[in-house]
Amino acid sequence: MFRTIKLKLPYDRPLVETAKQFKEATQIVLDYGFENKTFNKNKLNKGTYKVVRERIPTLPSALVQTARDTASEALKATNLKKKIKRKSLTIRYDNRTFKFYPDSHTVSLTTVLGRVVYPVAHSPLIDKYRGEYTNAQLVIDEKRNRIFIMVQVNVPDKEVVKKEDVKVLGIDRGVKNIAVLSNNVCLKEHRGTR
């Protein structure tokens, strides 16, 4: 099962700049997709990759690809019925662009300055949810100068009890006998003092 751990990061200008460039790249793909009536990732990539790389040369290639994926999903969700204007400063990270280290409370992220390791605030959820850290969403609140990262973790399902390990006992409640168990043991009514 998947769980999300929300962690606070230090407010860092390279992360803000990376988010701004990611937003711009996503918007280029959104506009292209809407104008060409497509949310197909291959078509979006063919039509926008070179443009994005020329316009935003400092945005790493892997983030250009996740910007394309983000735009594709947004276009698909609206079924190309309305033009989308991206407002939030967020970045989608995948296993190529981020790595979470729960024991050292750090996260490694791809930015416009290359790969940077950031400390994260401790959360009890780090200890509670251990597993494979698959992707993350970086969220920037410029008004409050705060940055959070939502780390998605694939937590192994708890051990399922096998059917053959479970022993079930049925009870039939009656009038003559208070109860008869499925193993044919009869519980007789006790007519003693109450």
Side-chain angles (χ1 to χ4, degrees):
M1 80 183 125
F2 287 93
R3 293 289 183 251
T4 301
I5 304 171
K6 182 179 180 179
L7 302 168
K8 188 174 182 182
L9 289 173
Y11 194 81
D12 187 48
R13 294 307 310 167
L15 279 177
V16 175
E17 184 56 34
T18 304
K20 287 180 179 179
Q21 291 184 23
F22 187 87
K23 176 183 173 183
E24 183 182 351
T26 305
Q27 192 62 55
I28 291 169
V29 180
L30 285 169
D31 294 343
Y32 177 89
F34 183 76
E35 290 164 11
N36 293 279
K37 300 298 179 205
T38 184
F39 49 76
N40 179 284
K41 290 180 185 179
N42 292 329
K43 291 179 182 177
L44 292 172
N45 188 57
K46 190 173 183 181
T48 62
Y49 184 79
K50 188 175 179 181
V51 173
V52 172
R53 295 297 289 153
E54 287 172 357
R55 255 196 245 174
I56 317 167
T58 55
L59 187 65
S61 174
L63 290 181
V64 172
Q65 292 170 9
T66 54
R68 178 210 56 218
D69 294 348
T70 301
S72 172
E73 290 166 13
L75 289 163
K76 189 174 184 178
T78 64
N79 204 19
L80 302 167
K81 297 231 190 277
K82 65 176 184 174
K83 193 166 185 162
I84 302 167
K85 181 72 174 160
R86 190 155 168 94
K87 296 176 184 169
S88 62
L89 275 182
T90 61
I91 303 172
R92 177 194 292 181
Y93 283 101
D94 61 17
N95 59 1
R96 297 170 298 163
T97 55
F98 114 103
K99 182 80 173 147
F100 179 53
Y101 302 99
D103 295 328
S104 62
H105 296 94
T106 57
V107 64
S108 172
L109 301 171
T110 299
T111 72
V112 292
L113 297 179
R115 199 73 173 211
V116 180
V117 176
Y118 293 97
V120 294
H122 177 71
S123 166
L125 296 177
I126 294 173
D127 300 324
K128 183 176 180 181
Y129 299 127
R130 292 291 180 128
E132 178 189 2
Y133 303 97
T134 58
N135 59 58
Q137 185 85 10
L138 188 84
V139 179
I140 298 177
D141 181 351
E142 280 192 294
K143 291 179 183 174
R144 295 186 180 104
N145 290 340
R146 295 190 314 186
I147 300 178
F148 293 97
I149 190 161
M150 312 318 189
V151 176
Q152 188 174 51
V153 57
N154 187 0
V155 179
D157 292 335
K158 292 185 179 175
E159 193 174 311
V160 179
V161 178
K162 293 179 185 172
K163 205 173 191 179
E164 55 268 7
D165 294 342
V166 177
K167 294 185 178 162
V168 179
L169 183 64
I171 299 174
D172 182 19
R173 295 175 57 189
V175 177
K176 184 175 175 187
N177 297 314
I178 293 175
V180 177
L181 306 177
S182 60
N183 63 358
N184 286 331
V185 173
C186 180
L187 299 176
K188 304 251 183 216
E189 182 178 359
H190 180 63
R191 297 197 183 259
T193 56
R194 294 184 184 186

